[in-house]
Amino acid sequence: MDDYAYHISIGIVGTADDFHQTSRAVLLKVLYLIELRDSITRKEGVVMNNILYIMIFSTLLFPYSDSGKLFSMETEDGKTETKQDTVEIEEKLAAVRIGDKWGYINVAGEVVIEPQFDHAHSFHEGLAVVRIGDSDSGKYGYINAAGEVVIEPQFGQAHSFSEGLAVVRTGGLISGKWGYLNAAGEIVIEPQLDMAHSFLEGLATVRIGDGTNRKWGYLNAAGKVVIDPQFDMAFSFSEGLATVRIEDFVKGKWVYKWVCINAAGEIVIELKFDFFGYFSEGLAVVRIGDSDSGKYGYINVAGEIAIKPQFHKANAFSEGLAHVMIGNKWGYIDREGKIVIEPQFDKAFSFKNGLALVRENDEKKDISILKESS
């Protein structure tokens, strides 16, 4: 029995006008940093690719204006809307690795928090997760935009803040438990969960049990279980719906059924697909067939096929476009299923603030493209 839950964060969205005024400048900065990374060599002349490594999504988290929205969503490859009238300075920082330590740069590419951490995440809601020590025994805490530690590294694992709370793990990888703390570092939901994910749209996906007894349900911000753990797979809520998988043992084999539930835990869409993603911009990825030879398409919130399954891989819509694979190359489609950027990339990511990172010709170098690339 597989055990999955999915989560990502999508940062800050500026207006179209803001983007057009500054996107090319930021794109040049991204390309400059990549070139800088690849220009640094060892004495032997071997390219030291990871001397300056830019977290793929951190670069795209730079806002393009001083006003915007913070929001969250859910995807595979882990949002309620959190509005903010003015984007604070900390949301304009990106985590970078220089040498073997992590620090932060601003939108001008200047180091503003010196590399000193063994790992670092992007800022969310004014705080960023950092790790002191290696990935096995190191501890996670939180810093502010000045680089000051505001929640001491003490957790076995920690995730970014979302809707005022962050999920943290106490104890070891196997025996540890997950709970939630607030921005003051106070534990508000005691570590008691076998797995937990960030709050989105007021609810968090949590798991109770291990092994064959593990089930996923949903918790509210008061720590109350509002949808009993009963699913073997679960996505976070997005646009009022959450996708879950129900399993049953019938005639000697496991039978799985995908459904969409609302915040009351009621089934609102029954789905007859082999895979079902989360809703984004009114559409959700579905697959007919197995993961190797099946085809991916999209359905609408009524459960109707909106874009017929025809792609080898597909991802959620962002800013009106979704990256899909045809053959062995990635391109972009619009909400009508029309190809607007031809499949030509070896890797591709979602558009954020009008930019998307892609990789061409399987080179170990990522570049940014604009929507005008179509």
Side-chain angles (χ1 to χ4, degrees), residues 192-243:
Q192 56 188 303
L193 304 159
D194 295 298
M195 184 62 72
H197 293 276
S198 298
F199 277 93
L200 301 172
E201 301 193 6
L203 297 175
T205 312
V206 299
R207 194 191 78 208
I208 303 296
D210 290 301
T212 58
N213 296 317
R214 55 192 177 193
K215 294 293 182 182
W216 291 88
Y218 294 85
L219 191 78
N220 66 18
K224 179 182 178 182
V225 174
V226 293
I227 300 176
D228 288 333
Q230 57 192 287
F231 311 112
D232 74 299
M233 289 178 66
F235 286 82
S236 293
F237 273 86
S238 175
E239 301 183 6
L241 297 174
T243 304

Side-chain angles (χ1 to χ4, degrees), residues 167-189:
V167 58
V168 296
R169 190 191 76 220
T170 59
L173 178 63
I174 304 301
S175 60
K177 297 293 183 181
W178 295 81
Y180 294 83
L181 78 166
N182 61 22
E186 303 165 332
I187 296 291
V188 294
I189 298 176

